[in-house]
Amino acid sequence: MPSKTAKPNFDMNSLLYLYLEDYDNFLPFELNLTNEFDIKFDGEKIHISKRRNYLKEILGENIYDINVIAGENGIGKTTLLKTITEILMPTDGEDDYYINNYKYLMVYQLDFETVFIIHSLRESNVQPEVGAGMEKIRIEHSAFENYDLDRPMIYYSPFLDFNVIDFFAKDGKPQIFDISLTQIVMEDLDKNGGYMDSNHDFLFHKTKNSKRQINFINETKGEFDLPFELPKTLNIHFNRLNPNKEDISARGYSLFDKLTADCATQLREHSEDQSKKKVIAKILFLRNLLSMYFLSINGIKTPGVLHHNYSDDLAKEIIEFKSKYANKLIKLIEKFFANDDLFKSSIFPQLIAIVYRLLSSRKTGIYFTDSNHLLVLEVSVDDPAITELFKVLNYVAPKEGVERNIVPNLHKFISFDWRNFSSGEKMFLDLFSRMHVVKSSLTEKHRPLLIFIDEGEIGLHPSWQIKYISFLCKFLNAIFKEYKIQLIIATHSPLVLSDFPKERVHLFKKTEDGNRRYKEESFGTFAQNTSVLLANDFFIESSLIGDLAKQYINDILNDIENIENAVQIFTGNLMERILLIDEPIIKQLMIKKLREIRYA
């Protein structure tokens, strides 16, 4: 019998089957999660037999099992995924809610020769019944804590619903990674050092997310082929902010007003002059940097800020500046940032140096999306300047210093985006980059991964939903080459279901009173036409057309039924209304009905 510390075989330690009862609002149900075995439990005996796995070749080298949970809205798919995760967590058998409150039976495959049964049912002896192909396979069952069945688990959801998984892992094992949008946002905000308020929190998350995506692209170059081309360039936005005049000293605001007015004059006069594009870009950047500087003063209600004494000589030079030469204005603004002593950080000179280096490169694309508000620089995704910008954005200011007011505005001032990259590609990139972070955090190699993906296709165009499972399998096989993967997903999409044989599809519905859920027998899904899947009342209870279109057709039929004479066919514009309908069979039947009335 294996010891608790025994390491499972690289290819094994997979969860084959789960039977669960006394689960909140669910009738007892079973999930056969393996392509390798047929498993059935009748309450006393569990029958296990081998089956041929025809999916192995198309899933790829590393994915050995893939299952999908589907159901009506509000059926509890997310809760079910979470509960499976929680039940599979290690326990000492005492004071554990999930083990003590649910009756369960689980079947694992420990290695090529051993199938292991774990259960918490009242019957002390669940008898295994050996079927075909099991002659060389040993079946054992014992207490849960006697076996080392831990494996890393990953949970992904694209939703921001604050339905966070609560984990109670013992001693940090197994490694459980919640990379749902909710959890990622919360972790990003927790790492911001407390320098940002709720108005800026999501800007900080957006910056962190961009960094994850950039790292993924740069660190996986040539490692594998994705179904779409990853971006080679990145757009860096330097945004204009809006400081509040009332939160700045009168003298300070007069300097800000004069400098930005001079910048506006230069932008108006030279915005169409391509020969001065880099000069205009500098002015636009410096003007926006001034807006960040003065916005950072907003909210600092100390006398030292409200009555900040700018250098008399510099203030006079700014107020009296009248030169028409752009380069002289640039020098003056640079001098302002070099001489100011309000903020002790070197953030402003650093940003100026980074942007100037970018502007001096022939590879940098320069765009004025709106010459009065926004500067966009297109740079190579592996340009060192991006790393330098992230260092500035990660600046941690002293908690008591006025510099801390710069931090939130940095994330409003600088943002990142991908040029000519579709929303579907961005969603895949988001998933891939988060998975990539998990890979770098895994401490035990050669342990099977159990991955839960909760409606990962949500928001994707139907053409992308068709490719979703194929893309996902290719990616997971490529990035987790040292692991075997068991994948359980939840979905509402019939396009996704068409990639799964019915044995791998687990459908849940509500009872008629709506109070409980039950597992329904799966219908034919694999390679099934999606219109057939949609026609099943599992997805749509009434028809395959929208309610507005259905109402439109019913109104015409009602008018036809109430025609008193043939003249009303024309006065009611019935033919014109019918010709708007694109479905040919419905259209022809309605035209036929009209003709019958006309010639009656």
Side-chain angles (χ1 to χ4, degrees):
M1 179 179 292
S3 69
K4 187 174 180 178
T5 57
K7 301 279 185 183
N9 183 283
F10 171 60
D11 289 320
M12 296 294 112
N13 190 19
S14 59
L15 176 65
L16 307 179
Y17 175 90
L18 172 65
Y19 171 85
L20 196 60
E21 63 177 90
D22 288 354
Y23 177 44
D24 296 344
N25 299 319
F26 274 81
L27 297 170
F29 63 88
E30 58 183 352
L31 301 175
N32 188 352
L33 301 172
T34 173
N35 294 303
E36 302 283 349
F37 295 88
D38 285 319
I39 304 175
K40 192 70 179 176
F41 178 59
D42 64 8
E44 294 181 359
K45 292 185 178 181
I46 182 163
H47 180 87
I48 306 175
S49 58
K50 277 286 267 181
R51 68 190 300 264
R52 185 166 294 179
N53 182 4
Y54 291 103
L55 290 183
K56 190 171 184 179
E57 296 302 320
I58 64 170
L59 293 179
E61 184 177 352
N62 297 82
I63 299 176
Y64 57 84
D65 278 322
I66 182 169
N67 286 263
V68 60
I69 294 172
E72 303 169 345
N73 280 324
I75 200 68
K77 297 186 299 299
T78 300
T79 304
L80 181 55
L81 290 181
K82 291 168 62 175
T83 300
I84 293 172
T85 308
E86 289 154 346
I87 286 178
L88 296 179
M89 297 231 303
T91 177
D92 56 11
E94 299 177 3
D95 301 324
D96 190 283
Y97 174 82
Y98 299 101
I99 297 301
N100 292 331
N101 288 273
Y102 299 146
K103 299 173 188 174
Y104 64 87
L105 183 149
M106 292 184 283
V107 179
Y108 284 85
Q109 184 169 14
L110 296 185
D111 52 44
F112 289 106
E113 298 178 348
T114 310
V115 171
F116 176 51
I117 301 172
I118 309 168
H119 68 85
S120 67
L121 303 173
R122 290 190 179 93
E123 296 82 3
S124 58
N125 277 312
V126 175
Q127 296 299 321
E129 188 174 83
V130 175
M134 300 292 290
E135 297 82 2
K136 298 181 180 179
I137 297 179
R138 181 173 68 254
I139 297 179
E140 300 179 356
H141 56 100
S142 182
F144 181 82
E145 62 268 19
N146 290 339
Y147 291 83
D148 185 5
L149 300 172
D150 302 346
R151 85 282 311 284
M153 289 184 274
I154 302 170
Y155 173 78
Y156 169 81
S157 169
F159 294 109
L160 185 64
D161 59 6
F162 297 99
N163 189 13
V164 183
I165 292 183
D166 293 319
F167 291 123
F168 305 95
K170 305 287 184 181
D171 302 321
K173 293 180 89 175
Q175 287 184 289
I176 301 176
F177 302 90
D178 183 353
I179 54 172
S180 62
L181 180 57
T182 294
Q183 186 64 25
I184 290 291
V185 169
M186 292 179 68
E187 288 180 4
D188 287 347
L189 304 190
D190 187 53
K191 295 174 183 176
N192 71 8
Y195 297 108
M196 302 168 71
D197 59 39
S198 58
N199 293 324
H200 306 107
D201 283 346
F202 286 99
L203 291 170
F204 188 89
H205 160 68
K206 187 176 180 181
T207 301
K208 297 285 287 186
N209 211 44
S210 296
K211 186 175 182 180
R212 275 188 290 270
Q213 294 175 349
I214 293 165
N215 287 343
F216 167 73
I217 291 172
N218 286 331
E219 293 174 16
T220 59
K221 282 183 178 177
E223 188 173 327
F224 55 87
D225 293 324
L226 286 174
F228 53 86
E229 187 176 359
L230 288 171
K232 294 182 173 60
T233 60
L234 175 71
N235 282 358
I236 307 173
H237 297 237
F238 298 96
N239 306 292
R240 182 181 183 178
L241 309 180
N242 295 300
N244 188 340
K245 177 180 179 179
E246 295 177 358
D247 284 335
I248 308 172
S249 68
R251 189 181 193 189
Y253 192 83
S254 67
L255 299 181
F256 171 70
D257 195 41
K258 178 62 167 59
L259 287 172
T260 53
D262 289 339
C263 288
T265 299
Q266 290 291 338
L267 292 171
R268 282 195 301 270
E269 292 181 2
H270 303 292
S271 60
E272 302 300 324
D273 189 346
Q274 291 297 309
S275 66
K276 291 191 175 182
K277 194 171 186 179
K278 291 185 178 181
V279 173
I280 296 304
K282 281 187 180 181
I283 292 176
L284 191 54
F285 166 74
L286 291 171
R287 196 278 311 275
N288 290 354
L289 189 64
L290 283 166
S291 72
M292 190 195 90
Y293 174 91
F294 281 97
L295 183 63
S296 299
I297 294 174
N298 287 176
I300 309 175
K301 298 297 192 288
T302 62
V305 174
L306 291 174
H307 305 287
H308 179 54
N309 292 318
Y310 296 90
S311 161
D312 288 338
D313 291 340
L314 179 59
K316 182 179 179 182
E317 186 177 354
I318 291 172
I319 295 299
E320 295 179 355
F321 181 81
K322 294 180 180 179
S323 176
K324 64 179 181 180
Y325 295 106
N327 284 325
K328 287 191 176 182
L329 177 59
I330 290 171
K331 294 294 183 185
L332 180 61
I333 299 174
E334 291 170 356
K335 186 176 181 180
F336 171 84
F337 284 115
N339 282 272
D340 178 70
D341 62 353
L342 175 60
F343 296 112
K344 308 301 180 184
S345 77
S346 60
I347 283 177
F348 297 97
Q350 284 183 58
L351 287 174
I352 292 172
I354 294 169
V355 171
Y356 281 14
R357 284 200 300 275
L358 283 173
L359 291 174
S360 67
S361 172
R362 294 182 179 179
K363 296 180 180 179
T364 301
I366 303 172
Y367 303 95
F368 307 136
T369 303
D370 177 345
S371 60
N372 288 318
H373 291 89
L374 179 66
L375 170 67
V376 180
L377 300 183
E378 184 181 13
V379 303
S380 172
V381 72
D382 58 359
D383 193 303
I386 296 173
T387 302
E388 294 177 34
L389 284 175
F390 278 121
K391 286 181 180 178
V392 173
L393 287 164
N394 289 334
Y395 173 73
V396 178
K399 289 187 177 180
E400 303 303 324
V402 294
E403 301 98 305
R404 71 192 299 270
N405 292 274
I406 299 174
V407 176
N409 297 313
L410 272 173
H411 296 268
K412 297 174 79 174
F413 177 61
I414 304 172
S415 57
F416 305 90
D417 197 12
W418 304 106
R419 189 175 180 85
N420 299 323
F421 209 47
S422 74
S423 58
E425 290 167 330
K426 287 179 182 178
M427 288 191 69
F428 274 106
L429 183 56
D430 206 32
L431 168 61
F432 295 164
S433 60
R434 293 189 212 175
M435 288 284 187
H436 184 252
V437 172
V438 169
K439 180 188 176 184
S440 63
S441 302
L442 290 170
T443 56
E444 288 192 77
K445 295 182 179 179
H446 306 306
R447 283 218 167 191
L449 288 174
L450 182 54
I451 299 177
F452 300 87
I453 297 182
D454 190 1
E455 295 188 57
E457 81 288 345
I458 200 74
L460 293 179
H461 187 276
S463 63
W464 282 90
Q465 290 188 26
I466 290 172
K467 302 173 184 176
Y468 174 68
I469 296 299
S470 174
F471 281 13
L472 187 62
C473 289
K474 288 177 182 177
F475 169 75
L476 293 176
N477 276 297
I479 198 169
F480 293 114
K481 292 178 180 177
E482 298 169 309
Y483 301 86
K484 289 296 180 183
I485 301 163
Q486 188 167 17
L487 181 62
I488 301 176
I489 72 170
T491 186
H492 277 303
S493 171
L495 296 170
V496 172
L497 279 191
S498 67
D499 267 338
F500 291 87
K502 61 182 180 182
E503 293 82 7
R504 304 276 64 79
V505 177
H506 310 283
L507 305 177
F508 287 87
K509 296 189 75 171
K510 296 177 184 177
T511 55
E512 288 187 7
D513 60 14
N515 294 326
R516 304 200 76 186
R517 285 88 166 119
Y518 65 94
K519 186 168 181 282
E520 185 176 69
E521 183 177 350
S522 297
F523 52 87
T525 52
F526 192 52
Q528 183 66 270
N529 188 299
T530 52
S531 63
V532 175
L533 294 176
L534 279 170
N536 189 289
D537 67 1
F538 177 78
F539 287 101
I540 299 176
E541 296 180 359
S542 54
S543 68
L544 292 178
I545 62 174
D547 277 356
L548 284 177
K550 184 167 63 176
Q551 180 181 333
Y552 180 83
I553 292 170
N554 287 336
D555 286 347
I556 296 175
L557 290 173
N558 184 61
D559 289 347
I560 292 174
E561 291 293 333
N562 291 292
I563 287 177
E564 295 179 358
N565 56 68
V567 174
Q568 289 180 333
I569 293 176
F570 303 99
T571 58
N573 299 315
L574 285 170
M575 184 61 76
E576 291 182 15
R577 290 161 64 191
I578 291 172
L579 291 176
L580 286 177
I581 299 169
D582 290 318
E583 208 291 318
I585 297 176
I586 293 176
K587 182 190 296 184
Q588 290 303 317
L589 288 173
M590 295 178 79
I591 291 173
K592 181 181 178 183
K593 193 170 186 67
L594 266 189
R595 287 173 176 166
E596 289 173 353
I597 292 174
R598 180 181 179 185
Y599 295 109

